Amino acid sequence: MDTALDTSAKTFIEVTEVWVPDGDRLKLAEGNYGGLEEFAAASRRESFAKGEGLPGKAWAEERPVVLKGFDGSYFKRTEAAKEAGLTSAVAVPVFAGADLKAVLVVLCGDDDERTGAIEVWHEQDGLLMLDDGYYGAAKHFEWVSQHTHFPRGQGLPGAVWSSETPILMRDLGSGYRFIRADSAARAGLTTGLGLPIPVPGGTTFVLTLLSAKGTPIARRFEIWDARAARNGSVNEARLIDGICAREGALWDPDNAGNERVVKAWQGAIGRVLGTGVPLVEGGKPGLANGYDSMVALPIHLDGELSHVVAWYL
């Protein structure tokens, strides 16, 4: 079987960064910039106080923040972003209780071909409403999303809200569980990942990443459960769902003997288990075979690490 991956297609996300607290500022821990070296250099020189820039705003407001245009905004790296062709960004704070562990920032470009969705949903009056989102060229899907709300348990955002767990949804354009299936099919969206974003104060936020084949957010998704598999003081996580463009399903609920388990500090997922901080890697050995980059995002519920969600390109 040919295991090579087509990495020539444009990706929906171009840059991913992890900013971590260092005293009273956020500093860059790691980032994957592809070939955007000048923007990478500008980022390495930067730091953010609470409330300053996009990472600082997510820290201060204790919520995910979508920024769909940099000109005239609070974004501090506007000129470098413009030269790199970056036009929008989403910042996702990672809290363990009241403790900020990191801010994950993803940056995207914009053209007539790039299609996908990064959405932030929040609870208001017993329903999940769209807080904001970036959709690239999927303008009709964006309009539909702006006019859609979800009760608890309904659709991908509502299912995440109800279960308080990450959920991976396949075949968005034909799946009866995906409420916006018709418009997703028109946009070419195929795979959806939804995850809870716990924040201090208890406001409900759900992040959804919707990927299209032509300009994918990821070619491989994994969900690891860190709650059930614990052995004394050694933290472990087991794979509970996953899908890969090359391998197909990564998890078989009918084959318990094929369970995949990692321990803290074992590989990339284990590093996230050990630190509780997001991980971004690109162009390094040790990733899943054939992949150039990965992001692993921890989810802390009630102050304890409960899941790790990973996506690969």
Side-chain angles (χ1 to χ4, degrees):
M1 181 177 66
D2 181 9
T3 59
L5 286 170
D6 176 15
T7 57
S8 61
K10 288 184 179 179
T11 56
F12 190 67
I13 296 171
E14 292 203 36
V15 170
T16 310
E17 306 172 319
V18 175
W19 298 85
V20 297
D22 183 354
D24 60 356
R25 302 188 72 83
L26 293 172
K27 295 190 176 179
L28 184 68
E30 52 196 8
N32 181 21
Y33 295 90
L36 303 178
E37 290 304 323
E38 292 186 7
F39 186 76
S43 300
R44 294 186 190 107
R45 295 191 297 266
E46 194 59 83
S47 67
F48 300 95
K50 193 171 186 178
E52 183 181 33
L54 180 60
K57 185 177 180 68
W59 180 14
E61 298 189 1
E62 299 180 342
R63 65 179 182 91
V65 178
V66 179
L67 184 57
K68 291 190 284 191
F70 298 150
D71 287 340
S73 75
Y74 49 83
F75 194 77
K76 289 183 65 178
R77 295 169 285 166
T78 298
E79 289 305 316
K82 185 179 297 184
E83 291 178 6
L86 301 170
T87 58
S88 59
V90 180
V92 181
V94 177
F95 283 97
D99 179 29
L100 180 76
K101 305 292 285 186
V103 177
L104 179 74
V105 176
V106 299
L107 297 105
C108 305
D110 194 11
D111 55 44
D112 293 336
E113 299 176 3
R114 211 179 304 261
T115 298
I118 305 173
E119 304 175 314
V120 175
W121 300 84
H122 75 283
E123 188 272 331
Q124 180 178 326
D125 299 327
L127 295 170
L128 278 184
M129 315 294 290
L130 184 67
D131 191 74
D132 208 344
Y134 174 66
Y135 298 85
K139 300 304 182 186
H140 179 263
F141 186 79
E142 179 176 9
W143 183 90
V144 170
S145 302
Q146 290 169 343
H147 294 82
T148 303
H149 54 263
F150 294 95
R152 184 187 292 267
Q154 186 179 72
L156 178 57
V160 172
W161 180 18
S162 177
S163 65
E164 293 188 315
T165 63
I167 293 176
L168 186 58
M169 194 172 284
R170 288 95 161 149
D171 302 321
L172 299 184
S174 58
Y176 70 93
R177 293 175 58 208
F178 194 72
I179 304 303
R180 298 167 285 166
D182 289 344
S183 54
R186 289 176 56 178
L189 301 173
T190 58
T191 306
L193 176 66
L195 43 154
I197 305 297
V199 296
T203 300
T204 296
F205 286 98
V206 172
L207 178 73
T208 51
L209 306 176
L210 309 180
S211 189
K213 283 186 178 180
T215 52
I217 285 177
R219 296 180 176 89
R220 176 185 179 114
F221 294 94
E222 299 172 349
I223 298 177
W224 296 82
D225 190 339
R227 301 170 303 172
R230 292 187 180 276
N231 180 17
S233 61
V234 179
N235 289 343
E236 296 179 339
R238 62 187 177 91
L239 186 70
I240 59 168
D241 204 356
I243 189 170
C244 173
R246 182 184 61 225
E247 301 173 46
L250 300 175
W251 175 76
D252 182 1
D254 298 323
N255 187 2
N258 195 32
E259 185 174 74
R260 303 188 191 186
V261 177
V262 297
K263 292 180 169 58
W265 305 106
Q266 178 184 6
I269 302 300
R271 177 177 155 191
V272 177
L273 283 175
T275 63
V277 174
L279 177 148
V280 174
E281 290 191 349
K284 295 181 180 180
L287 298 182
N289 186 32
Y291 291 92
D292 179 66
S293 63
M294 74 165 295
V295 179
L297 179 66
I299 297 170
H300 301 262
L301 292 177
D302 300 321
E304 298 290 334
L305 197 152
S306 66
H307 295 83
V308 177
V309 177
W311 56 94
Y312 302 73
L313 273 169

